[in-house]
Each structure stands twice: as structure tokens, then as C-alpha cells.
């Protein structure tokens, strides 16, 4: 564990230290696209943050190769080299897209080629544990197709969710933390060395995200761009594929009986292995909904819009930071809920805890729908939106005081009317363009 933590810290440090120079390079290189209609930010922000993340990946693999225990991963497996080859290719495609905006079909082809490069070097699915059937060996072509499909889906799921400051990096980091704990449990707890590469990849991926997040939190100083989002999506998929299909359920020795019975009872434990989408369920759901929504409208599945889950949170009324935290919460709930269920699927407390936290998450989602007012004694301890402002007393209306009427007239003339803001389709809530206008009640002077 010490070597894994050392690798994580070095990866995070290299990524963090390189992000600043990369930002300056992106500005000089002109990788600052104009603000589009679907964007949330209001100022041009440099991209190419994936450059720092890629060098963090290289640093993590280099350090792990020189550590006493982790060196065995490189000696006994070709998967680290396969991952680095695929990551280099997808990173190069992302850099070109951040600079020149290449076509979506070209990016899709590049993603498939990167997945194929990993398959050729041994990072592929060999067999699948099917509930009720047992281990099912897949042919070379079947394994290749499954591997390519998982890589492409995971890359685009992460890419689709990269719409708010710090959202993609934070969600991937949370999902990877849950996956790291699961893979480490299999490798260290049961002595299965086939899970060691996946554990290493997860530790490096966490370091990449943690090192980049301080520069990417709202308000972001740099975006990871496609060079970063596709990179971390590929590493996440590669870590899941590394352990999927390479672990014999009988070696876990959790249940007695036949192999078929073992696999059937171990379904909860194999959820995060068979489907990497289970640990990034929210980005995967966003991907599916986006494809259905765009196809229903007669658009291309790759056509950009403002209908993603994080855009919906902004339209409901959540602030930028709160929308990101809500997405973090749901990602952690799903990832660590699946992890806890895989450890002890018979515990009712785990199910009740997930249900309780889900109820809290629903309350957080609906929070902008109601605005409760705090009692008068607590008005100084809550944000202004929850305070109850008293009505100002009428001056000069009943007593015939002309000075009061004059003062009111002067106040009316001195208070400019809010400028009309042109309606922008699809822009609501925290993404509204223009200055915020206060209601007439809040514009009155407090006495």
C-alpha cells in the first residue's frame, strides 16, 4: 500500500506542477476556443489540460517500474505498456481536437484504434463469469469487440459529463477510488496477482485527477479538454478490463460447491468488474439519455446540446458549485454502494444506508424548488436568500407629509430600472446571461 500511495502522490504532484506551464502554453498556442451556446463559462478559458495529465501518467508508471514490489507488475505483465500505448494515441488525438476541432467520427475512429492497440498488446477480455452458467471463454474476436466497446463507451461517457468546472475529474476520481479499493482487496486479500495491474492503474488515475482538480475547480483556470477527458476515460476502462475476465472465481474461496454455484453467488462482487459503467453510472446514464434525446430530435448522436444532467441541475436553480457537489454525491453513493454490497451482499444495513442516502440526494436535487425562511432570531446566520426582510414603513402617505413623498419620488428616480436582458434559448438559472435583477421587494430600502 505504501508503494501505491507513493505512486499516487508523485503522479498528483507532477500533474499539479505541470498544469500551470501547460496553461501558459495553451494561451500562447491559441487553444482558447470562443464561448459556444452550450458552454456555461463566460470567459474564454485555455484547454489542453490533458497534456499535464498525460505526463503525470508517464511519471506514475516510471516510478512504479522502479519500486521493489510494483516492479513485478511490469516484469510479469505487458498491460502497463499496452495502456501507455493506447493512452498516448488517444491523448494525441485529443490534443489535435483541442487545437483544431477535428470531426467527431474521426475521434470515434481514433478511440477504436487506441482500444485495438491495447488489445494487440494483451490488454483484453479473455473470459466472462456469467451468473448461472459459469466461466464463459470468449474467442479472440469476441474479446476484441467487447474490449473495444467498453473502451469507447467509457471514453465517451466521461467526455459527455465534462461540462462543468471540476466535474469530470472529480467524478472519475471518486469512481476510481471505489474501484481501487475493490481491486486492492482482490489482489492483497486473496493473493490474486492478476488484479495488481488494475490496482496500479487506479492509483495512477486518482493521482492524475487529484493533481488537476485544484486548477480546474470553479472558477476554472484551465480545462482538461478532450485530451484529458478521453485520456482518463481510457485509463478507467483499461483498469477495469485488466481485471475483468482474468480472475477465476474458484480462487476467491468464498463459497463451497461447484464453479457454477460460485459464480452465481458472486454476482454482487462482479458488478464493478463486468461492467465498468456501474462505477460511472451517472456519466453512462447521461450518455444514453443524450443519444436518445438527439436521435429523437433527428440530430446526430454527436451533436452538442444543453440537455446534459449538469445543465438540468443549473436550470432547476442550483449554483455551479452545488451542481458539481450533487454530481459528486451521486457518483460516490453509487460507486461505494456497489463496493459495500460486493463485500457483504447479505447485510441489510448496507441496503438501508443506500436508501437513506438516496433520499438525502433527492432532497438536495429538489432544494431550489422551495425557499424556506429562517426565523427572525436566525436571520444573521443564514444566507440572504433565506432572510425575511421587513416591509419599510410608509412615509407621508397618510400624514400628508410632502417631504416624505418627495423623498420617495427622489428614491424612485435614483433607482434605475433593470436593463432588459434578451432571452437566450436554453439558458436558465445560474447560466443566465446578464446581471441578476432583484425583486421590487428587495430593492426597497431597509429602515
Amino acid at each position: 500500500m505504501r508503494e501505491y500511495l507513493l505512486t499516487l502522490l508523485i503522479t498528483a504532484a507532477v500533474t499539479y506542477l505541470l498544469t500551470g506551464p501547460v496553461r501558459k502554453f495553451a494561451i500562447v498556442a491559441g487553444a482558447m476556443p470562443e464561448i459556444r451556446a452550450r458552454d456555461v463559462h463566460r470567459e474564454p478559458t485555455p484547454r489542453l489540460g490533458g497534456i499535464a495529465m498525460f505526463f503525470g501518467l508517464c511519471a506514475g508508471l516510471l516510478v512504479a517500474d522502479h519500486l521493489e514490489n510494483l516492479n513485478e507488475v511490469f516484469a510479469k505483465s505487458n498491460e502497463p505498456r499496452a495502456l501507455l500505448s493506447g493512452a498516448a494515441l488517444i491523448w494525441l488525438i485529443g490534443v489535435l481536437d483541442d487545437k483544431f476541432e477535428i470531426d467527431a467520427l474521426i475521434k470515434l475512429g481514433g478511440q477504436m484504434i487506441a482500444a485495438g492497440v491495447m488489445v494487440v498488446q494483451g490488454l483484453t477480455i479473455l473470459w466472462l463469469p456469467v451468473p448461472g452458467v459459469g466461466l464463459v471463454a470468449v474467442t479472440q474476436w469476441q474479446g476484441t469487440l467487447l474490449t473495444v466497446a467498453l473502451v469507447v463507451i467509457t471514453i465517451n461517457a466521461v467526455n459527455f459529463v465534462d461540462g462543468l468546472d471540476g466535474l469530470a475529474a472529480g467524478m472519475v476520481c471518486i469512481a476510481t477510488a471505489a474501484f481501487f479499493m475493490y481491486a486492492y482487496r482482490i489482489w492483497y486479500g486473496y493473493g490474486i496477482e492478476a488484479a495488481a495491474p488494475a490496482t496500479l492503474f487506479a492509483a495512477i488515475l486518482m493521482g492524475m485527477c487529484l493533481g488537476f482538480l485544484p486548477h480546474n475547480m470553479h472558477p476554472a483556470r484551465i480545462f482538461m479538454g478532450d485530451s484529458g477527458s478521453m485520456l482518463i476515460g481510457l485509463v478507467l476502462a483499461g483498469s477495469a478490463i485488466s481485471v475483468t475476465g482474468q480472475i477465476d472465481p474458484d480462487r476467491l474461496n468464498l463459497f463451497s460447491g461447484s464453479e457454477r454455484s460460485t459464480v452465481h453467488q458472486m454476482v454482487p462482487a462482479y458488478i464493478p468488474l463486468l461492467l465498468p459503467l456501474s462505477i460511472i453510472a451517472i456519466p453512462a446514464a447521461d450518455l444514453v439519455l443524450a443519444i436518445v434525446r438527439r436521435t429523437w430530435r433527428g440530430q446526430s448522436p454527436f451533436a452538442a446540446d444543453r440537455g446534459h444532467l449538469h445543465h438540468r441541475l443549473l436550470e432547476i436553480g442550483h449554483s455551479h458549485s452545488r451542481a458539481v457537489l450533487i454530481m459528486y454525491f451521486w457518483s460516490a453513493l453509487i460507486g461505494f454502494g456497489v463496493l459495500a454490497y460486493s463485500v457483504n451482499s447479505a447485510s441489510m444495513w448496507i441496503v438501508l444506508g443506500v436508501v437513506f442516502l438516496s433520499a438525502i440526494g433527492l432532497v438536495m436535487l429538489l432544494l431550489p424548488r422551495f425557499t424556506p425562511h429562517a426565523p427572525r432570531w436566525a436571520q444573521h446566520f443564514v444566507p440572504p436568500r433565506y432572510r425575511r426582510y421587513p416591509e419599510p414603513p410608509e412615509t407621508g402617505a397618510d400624514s400628508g407629509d410632502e417631504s416624505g413623498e418627495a423623498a420617495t419620488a427622489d428614491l424612485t428616480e435614483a433607482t434605475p430600472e433593470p436593463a432588459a436582458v434578451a432571452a437566450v434559448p436554453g439558458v436558465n438559472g445560474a447560466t443566465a446571461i446578464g446581471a441578476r435583477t432583484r425583486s421590487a421587494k428587495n430593492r426597497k430600502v431597509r429602515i
Side-chain angles (χ1 to χ4, degrees), residues 20-245:
V22 167
R23 178 179 182 273
K24 296 180 180 179
F25 169 77
I27 295 175
V28 173
M32 297 180 61
E34 297 181 356
I35 299 178
R36 300 160 295 187
R38 69 178 186 270
D39 290 335
V40 176
H41 59 284
R42 301 182 182 182
E43 297 180 359
T45 305
R47 295 194 286 188
L48 293 178
I51 296 179
M53 304 179 79
F54 177 74
F55 283 104
L57 169 66
C58 295
L61 291 175
L62 181 63
V63 170
D65 189 20
H66 289 80
L67 295 178
E68 181 180 357
N69 295 322
L70 294 184
N71 182 42
E72 298 180 1
V73 176
F74 296 83
K76 298 180 179 180
S77 174
N78 195 44
E79 293 181 0
R81 301 175 185 86
L83 180 72
L84 182 59
S85 302
L89 179 58
I90 202 69
W91 169 75
L92 180 60
I93 296 173
V95 170
L96 294 177
D97 181 65
D98 289 341
K99 174 58 180 175
F100 302 106
E101 294 284 347
I102 63 178
D103 187 72
L105 292 179
I106 297 179
K107 288 194 296 183
L108 179 62
Q111 295 168 8
M112 298 175 67
I113 294 175
V117 169
M118 295 193 300
V119 170
V120 170
Q121 299 187 57
L123 187 56
T124 182
I125 297 175
L126 302 178
W127 56 74
L128 291 176
V130 179
V133 178
L135 282 179
V136 176
V138 296
T139 64
Q140 182 179 359
W141 283 105
Q142 291 173 341
T144 300
L145 291 176
L146 287 174
T147 303
V148 171
L150 288 176
V151 171
V152 171
I153 291 175
T154 307
I155 288 175
N156 286 281
V158 175
N159 192 20
F160 274 36
V161 82
D162 184 24
L164 297 179
D165 297 348
L167 182 58
M171 293 185 66
V172 170
C173 184
I174 293 172
T176 307
F179 186 83
F180 172 82
M181 297 174 65
Y182 183 86
Y184 183 80
R185 173 174 172 260
I186 294 179
W187 173 71
Y188 183 77
Y190 299 101
I192 300 178
E193 296 181 358
T199 311
L200 174 62
F201 298 159
I204 293 176
L205 182 54
M206 280 193 294
M208 295 164 59
C209 296
L210 291 175
F212 184 73
L213 268 175
H215 299 273
N216 191 231
M217 294 301 293
H218 183 70
R221 302 179 68 248
I222 185 174
F223 295 150
M224 68 172 65
D226 283 359
S227 59
S229 61
M230 293 197 300
L231 175 64
I232 61 178
L234 180 136
V235 177
L236 178 59
S239 60
I241 292 172
S242 173
V243 73
T244 301

